[in-house]
Amino acid sequence: MTKDKRELARRQDKAPIATAWDYAPAPEARDIVKIQERYGLFIGGKFVEPASGERYTTIDPAREEPLAEVAQAGKADVDRAVRAARDAFANGWSTLRPSERAKYLFRIARLLQERSREFAVLESINGGKPIRESRDVDVPLAAAHFFYYAGWADKLEYAFPNRKPRPVGVAGQIIPWNFPLLMLAWKIAPALAAGNTVVLKPAETTPLSALLFCDVLRQAELPPGVVNIVTGDGLTGAELVSHPDVNKIAFTGSTEVGKAIQKTLAGTGKRLTLELGGKAANIIFDDAPLDQAVEGIVNGIYFNQGHVCCAGSRLLVEESIYETVIAKLKRRMATLRVGDPLDKNTDVGAINSKQQLDKISALVQSGVDEGAEIYQPPCKLPERGYWFVPTVFTNVAQSYRIAQEEIFGPVLSVLTFRTPDEAIEKANNTPYGLSAGVWTEKGSRILAMAQRLRAGVVWANTYNRFDPAAPFGGYKESGFGREGGRHGLEPYVVLDDA
Ligand code: NAI
Ligand code: MG
């Protein structure tokens, strides 16, 4: 045997191992974004001082540096925002010609495209996600959502044939920090298309893209009060939920807070949609195209540092291909570049907050303590900032916390199965039901699996793929209601008989 052949036999694979992949730094310029020193609340079409008088500092999680002072809205502020939204609803927006509403939404979509670089850089600075993702995923998808729902605005009677759709009223919308601008778009676009007005609360760690979005609203000349943005933490969110003049609440975030909101709203007649956590199974059968599947596994769990409610955080591999898949996966993980979110070569950016980093670290420790086998590729992390090395756990029992709880970080737990029935049973063995992935060459198997998986979204031979036309949402503790597509309009319309 020649030396090379011995080497190949040793590696048990013909693909070359990436050894020294050195990339020159390729940082995106930060100065395209002007961050103000302090921000007020966006109410009635302009920035106002918070009556609460309170502010807090929002930071760059990759550098642990302060970025701006942001208002912490109190009860009186939330009330002012809801009144502005009610005025706008009653005095024009809800009765505006639908094609006129569409015009504003189209304008917003185009402005987001025009200013996409600015938004992408800001999103990466404030949230820690790689610029490659904010530039190629978050911002284009946010614009696409506005385009998509702009198209529905004057066709609602076709969306709901033989019914007379009318708007619900004032919508209170609360969003998380993992996709700040995209979640804003998911919430605001369908609400406005259907003639509602909005009070939106961004997550406390990532308010800046929502505050920049207020400038887009100004450019689009959206009538004052149609969209109001109140920043603050969970207390602000709770004020919005319990405000008596809000007709509908839309929430994306933790299952814990979702449950609390549902309790508060019980019996009030207010409408509610909840998009909560997940612990999705990504299922790989032995006939799957393995190299593609490995890309799908990596994209499924390491995309956006794993801060993804539909992340493929439980890998279910058919036993016969287990060794091969794990070997390929580990080799692929070694090529992931962790670091500066603004570097165009970065694959995995900063963890969003100290709090989230602590949560991830604690759950990973529990995996080690319970007896799972941990693998982390060699990886040099920046000295400052919040970072976590992409991690995979093998030897995982279904009862371990890392197989049951949402980690919301770059941590994958691997389980195996022998038959499709066993795969289904394990996949569904969770309180959640948001998403799943199936990798196989057989179309019939894809359909059979999709039918039996209790998950709102099932991806086949792909993962984490989004389209504004496709409804998204959960079963069980992942919440209820759908966002995206025609289904995404339903929570925002009252249907009378025609
Ligand atoms: P969270 O659910 O506390 O925060 C989400 C949003 O809800 C934020 O805007 C927050 O200010 C607001 N909020 C908090 N308490 C509230 C209350 N009582 N009433 C109304 N609004 C309230 O989530 P957090 O603490 O940021 O993250 C904790 C865990 O939740 C994460 O580790 C992750 O597992 C999960 N999570 C899931 C998300 C998803 O997309 N499904 C998004 C964010 C977090
Ligand atoms: Mg919380």
Side-chain angles (χ1 to χ4, degrees), residues 204 254 256-257 355:
E204 49 268 49
S254 63
E256 180 197 356
V257 173
Q355 194 190 359

Side-chain angles (χ1 to χ4, degrees), residues 174-179 183 201-205 232-241 251-258 260-261 275-278 307-310 355-356 359 406-408 432 434:
I174 297 167
I175 58 173
W177 40 265
N178 50 344
F179 295 92
M183 288 302 105
K201 193 200 83 65
E204 49 268 49
T205 55
D233 61 10
L235 296 174
T236 310
E239 292 295 351
L240 186 54
V241 168
F251 173 79
T252 299
S254 63
T255 293
E256 180 197 356
V257 173
I261 291 176
E275 203 266 90
L276 310 174
H307 301 329
V308 182
C309 48
C310 51
Q355 194 190 359
Q356 189 59 29
K359 175 182 166 179
E406 182 178 54
I407 300 176
F408 227 62
Y432 296 113
L434 194 54

Side-chain angles (χ1 to χ4, degrees), residues 76-88:
D77 298 308
V78 169
D79 183 54
R80 186 173 174 189
V82 172
R83 275 190 284 127
R86 176 61 60 194
D87 277 356

Side-chain angles (χ1 to χ4, degrees), residues 395-412:
N395 241 336
V396 179
Q398 284 194 82
S399 57
Y400 291 176
R401 286 182 67 198
I402 53 167
Q404 288 291 330
E405 294 179 34
E406 182 178 54
I407 300 176
F408 227 62
V411 182
L412 178 66

